[in-house]
Amino acid sequence: MTKYIFVTGGVTSSLGKGIIAASLAKLLQGHGFKVTIQKFDPYINVDPGTLNPYEHGECYVTDDGAETDLDLGHYERFLNTPTSQENNVTTGRIYQTVINKERAGEFLGKTVQVIPHITDEIKRRMTLLGGKNYDIIITELGGTVGDIESLPYLEALRQLRMELGDHNYCTVHLTLIPYLAAAKELKTKPTQHSVKELQESGVQPDILVCRTEKPITDEIRQKLALFCNLSKDNVIEAIDADTIYEVPILMLKEKLDQRVIKQLKLKSKSAPELKAWREFLKNLRHPIYEVNIGLIGKYNELPDAYKSIYEAFVHSGAANMCKVKVIAIHSESLEDPEKLNQALKGLNGILVAPGFGERGIEGKIEAIRYARENQIPFLGICLGMQCAVVEFARNVLGMKKAASTEVDPKTKFPVIHMMTEQRNIKEKGGTMRLGAYECKLSKTSKAHQAYKSTLISERHRHRYEFNNQYLAEFEEKGMWASGKNPEKNLVEIMELKGHPWFVGVQFHPELKSTVETPHPLFVSFVGSCIRNKKI
Ligand code: GLN
């Protein structure tokens, strides 16, 4: 029977529930169990696809085209296995299903209520991935205990414990133990309150994971155990780490895996297999090279907006024994040529980020021109690739004011235009070209050198594409389509001849980079930044 672990959070948000869930999953995977992680988000949006990065950070896209929470990215990066639409559920999706059933007459004669109808749907979704595919399912509950919108989820947890039985169910509650500098003390009261709040909903945590900046003493563990109604061994310290990838090791030292294994009555090896993980950490800690890579985007004050890109650099840096310093540069600041020179001159590589809308576009185009003219390794992702095409059209092909029709619908040179199947779509949610598509690579390309394969599959999230009408003109002058979608002949990769490394991709390689399988394009890009280092 599949075992279920639920991870809740208390005291504040941003404690790193996703990382704790992923770290625990990694340890259990290392013990030989088949594990997956899912996230339940209490907000009303059906998915985060329509939320802007200020609200919600990056939107993570799965192979099956689901637009999901960025924590799913952590799950994939840690576990090295793909997630899907089933792994991310919101209140909006729960209600949508229940309301559709009501309209179809499935509850005929009954009043439809939060309990049992909404909670039944929550439970159905929470156990959907159970059965033969997984030994253990970890569910992260978004939000913080005490939020009004979390209540139906906690009620579902209360019911599930009864239905599944104590040894098939485990709740891990993550809280904060703040340190008061003036009193020179760690404080347990907020945790006591948050556990009380959980208990009021009928949920008793089995394990308490305490996020803290200072080690917690035995006395504190004892006190928490007493007040929170659990065994002292089940009070786990989660001290701040310098990298999220250290957290599985910290959790191992604290025996979080053993506590869970005991609660769930699982049979396991004495220690999890973490060879590849430790190898990665060793490389991360002992780089022999260092490069500066500019990340040109428009949400630079918000690292979460480009989460997967930052992480892909961590993986590909370690694979190259290289410390990659990612320097976030606001594209709008590059519209002034003097500022542009100042900002870009110390860089060993330039990445132009994905994005939507016209803000910051001209700065992105100028950064690409700089990379092209100065032979600086360049990776353009999605909008970044589209900007590379526009730059080349304007500055090499002499197509004045060439543009993407997303930015200038009336341009004389629509080198990037809306995809045919997108033209009649009015709704915004879940309607882009989403998910994994195949791409065929030319054998002579940089992409092929990186992937060492002619057929790849990568994830997409866009409405616009390269306008094939212009391809011959581009190729004649040295910008060529090195990867195409075999079914529709869409241009997926553009490369530049006579440049050390200049690759624009219509897809999102960052979404598939994991600790154990760093993305080949990022690995190759960082490699070329090292080789071409002039400063
Ligand atoms: N806005 C562009 C499009 O829709 C690029 C999208 C992206 O960068 N993800 O095609």
Side-chain angles (χ1 to χ4, degrees):
M1 173 159 180
T2 305
K3 310 272 185 177
Y4 293 87
I5 301 170
F6 296 91
V7 180
T8 57
V11 183
T12 75
S13 57
S14 305
L15 287 182
K17 262 186 309 215
I19 302 297
I20 292 294
S23 299
L24 173 58
K26 186 75 214 165
L27 296 180
L28 295 170
Q29 187 189 52
H31 280 284
F33 299 112
K34 280 185 277 166
V35 191
T36 191
I37 322 177
Q38 54 189 7
K39 176 149 194 203
F40 279 60
D41 276 311
Y43 53 73
I44 313 286
N45 303 62
V46 171
D47 63 40
T50 53
L51 291 174
N52 79 33
Y54 289 109
E55 294 274 324
H56 200 264
E58 166 189 274
C59 174
Y60 188 79
V61 180
T62 56
D63 277 334
D64 63 348
E67 296 179 288
T68 70
D69 185 79
L70 56 77
D71 271 327
L72 271 78
H74 290 309
Y75 307 162
E76 290 201 11
R77 290 188 278 272
F78 276 56
L79 291 185
N80 204 26
T81 54
T83 54
S84 69
Q85 178 66 73
E86 270 71 49
N87 296 73
N88 193 196
V89 176
T90 67
T91 292
R93 200 170 283 275
I94 301 271
Y95 271 81
Q96 195 179 47
T97 312
V98 173
I99 291 169
N100 287 346
K101 277 191 187 163
E102 186 275 334
R103 290 290 84 184
E106 278 187 42
F107 308 113
L108 226 46
K110 289 270 177 239
T111 310
V112 182
Q113 294 179 297
V114 173
I115 307 172
H117 301 98
I118 294 298
T119 47
D120 278 354
E121 179 58 18
I122 293 174
K123 288 190 293 177
R124 187 184 73 79
R125 299 248 185 190
M126 280 179 167
T127 50
L128 200 60
L129 291 170
K132 54 185 181 312
N133 289 335
Y134 296 106
D135 304 317
I136 301 168
I137 293 177
I138 301 183
T139 304
E140 177 192 346
L141 215 59
T144 308
V145 168
D147 298 345
I148 290 176
E149 50 195 23
S150 297
L151 285 174
Y153 293 92
L154 295 178
E155 169 59 14
L157 257 55
R158 185 190 70 78
Q159 295 177 18
L160 273 175
R161 175 163 219 138
M162 310 258 286
E163 289 165 26
L164 296 167
D166 276 354
H167 297 301
N168 297 317
Y169 170 105
C170 176
T171 301
V172 176
H173 186 56
L174 174 64
T175 78
L176 177 72
I177 311 287
Y179 178 74
L180 289 193
K184 294 199 175 53
E185 252 186 297
L186 286 166
K187 290 293 183 190
T188 61
K189 194 70 82 188
T191 297
Q192 294 177 36
H193 282 301
S194 108
V195 170
K196 211 176 198 174
E197 187 101 39
L198 254 184
Q199 289 167 336
E200 272 170 23
S201 305
V203 176
Q204 167 63 45
D206 299 291
I207 297 172
L208 208 53
V209 176
C210 306
R211 181 78 191 267
T212 172
E213 28 177 320
K214 307 244 183 240
I216 55 172
T217 58
D218 227 41
E219 204 188 330
I220 290 180
R221 290 183 201 245
Q222 194 73 56
K223 188 171 173 187
L224 283 169
L226 180 69
F227 280 101
C228 302
N229 195 31
L230 33 81
S231 121
K232 186 179 140 230
D233 291 343
N234 283 8
V235 178
I236 304 283
E237 168 192 291
I239 200 152
D240 293 355
D242 59 345
T243 156
I244 55 171
Y245 299 110
E246 181 65 26
V247 180
I249 308 296
L250 293 177
M251 291 302 106
L252 180 67
K253 286 188 189 137
E254 283 286 303
K255 300 196 171 69
L256 176 59
D257 54 335
Q258 297 301 343
R259 307 313 304 165
V260 167
I261 284 168
K262 183 161 181 236
Q263 158 88 23
L264 296 176
K265 286 199 178 340
L266 288 161
K267 282 197 185 53
S268 79
K269 302 185 225 163
S270 56
E273 208 286 302
L274 291 169
K275 205 164 150 254
W277 193 272
R278 290 186 195 274
E279 185 69 27
F280 157 80
L281 275 177
K282 200 174 92 204
N283 291 342
L284 187 66
R285 292 250 149 81
H286 305 287
I288 45 180
Y289 307 106
E290 181 169 330
V291 291
N292 294 332
I293 296 184
L295 167 58
I296 321 293
K298 61 177 178 181
Y299 300 109
N300 294 340
E301 64 284 18
L302 286 183
D304 270 5
Y306 303 117
K307 190 89 209 157
S308 295
I309 294 178
Y310 279 101
E311 299 307 326
F313 277 129
V314 177
H315 312 148
S316 54
N320 277 291
M321 309 288 282
C322 177
K323 180 175 170 50
V324 178
K325 273 175 70 186
V326 181
I327 299 164
I329 299 170
H330 221 290
S331 54
E332 277 165 302
S333 73
L334 302 178
E335 283 162 24
D336 167 349
E338 222 162 88
K339 285 198 185 133
L340 176 125
N341 260 314
Q342 200 56 33
L344 305 186
K345 73 173 191 268
L347 299 178
N348 311 114
I350 290 179
L351 184 145
V352 175
F356 294 84
E358 68 180 303
R359 181 165 71 88
I361 285 278
E362 293 304 318
K364 287 184 173 175
I365 293 172
E366 283 310 304
I368 295 166
R369 177 185 194 149
Y370 184 94
R372 181 176 59 77
E373 292 179 345
N374 293 291
Q375 305 268 301
I376 295 173
F378 164 79
L379 175 59
I381 298 182
C382 205
L383 180 67
M385 173 266 203
Q386 298 175 354
C387 288
V389 166
V390 171
E391 191 279 321
F392 195 81
R394 288 185 190 172
N395 301 325
V396 179
L397 304 179
M399 298 176 182
K400 231 174 124 211
K401 293 199 177 151
S404 160
T405 54
E406 179 180 10
V407 177
D408 179 3
K410 297 209 172 76
T411 173
K412 200 166 149 212
F413 303 106
V415 286
I416 302 289
H417 66 170
M418 192 176 266
M419 307 178 70
T420 331
E421 57 264 45
Q422 287 286 329
R423 292 193 184 150
N424 295 321
I425 295 176
K426 295 273 175 299
E427 291 214 346
K428 291 277 186 263
T431 55
M432 286 186 240
R433 181 178 184 228
L434 288 167
Y437 287 91
E438 284 192 335
C439 172
K440 207 161 170 268
L441 304 180
S442 283
K443 286 226 168 77
T444 53
S445 62
K446 293 268 180 359
H448 187 269
Q449 255 175 32
Y451 285 95
K452 298 181 181 60
S453 162
T454 41
L455 196 61
I456 58 163
S457 168
E458 289 285 3
R459 299 179 192 169
H460 293 251
R461 183 174 188 245
H462 61 114
R463 293 197 168 87
Y464 296 81
E465 57 157 355
F466 181 79
N467 184 346
N468 268 326
Q469 244 188 313
Y470 293 95
L471 188 58
E473 260 179 281
F474 273 76
E475 296 204 324
E476 203 181 305
K477 288 281 188 315
M479 186 178 260
W480 65 294
S482 65
K484 284 187 183 170
N485 174 270
E487 260 167 53
K488 298 211 162 129
N489 208 33
L490 300 174
V491 171
E492 311 284 37
I493 311 180
M494 279 299 229
E495 294 190 22
L496 200 59
K497 288 208 171 108
H499 187 287
W501 209 94
F502 188 106
V503 180
V505 292
Q506 185 56 76
F507 48 79
H508 289 265
E510 72 278 18
L511 302 179
K512 279 181 66 169
S513 188
T514 72
V515 164
E516 281 159 46
T517 318
H519 196 281
L521 264 188
F522 273 84
V523 174
S524 173
F525 176 49
V526 171
S528 90
C529 295
I530 299 171
R531 278 193 310 280
N532 292 289
K533 200 170 162 179
K534 292 175 210 142
I535 22 178

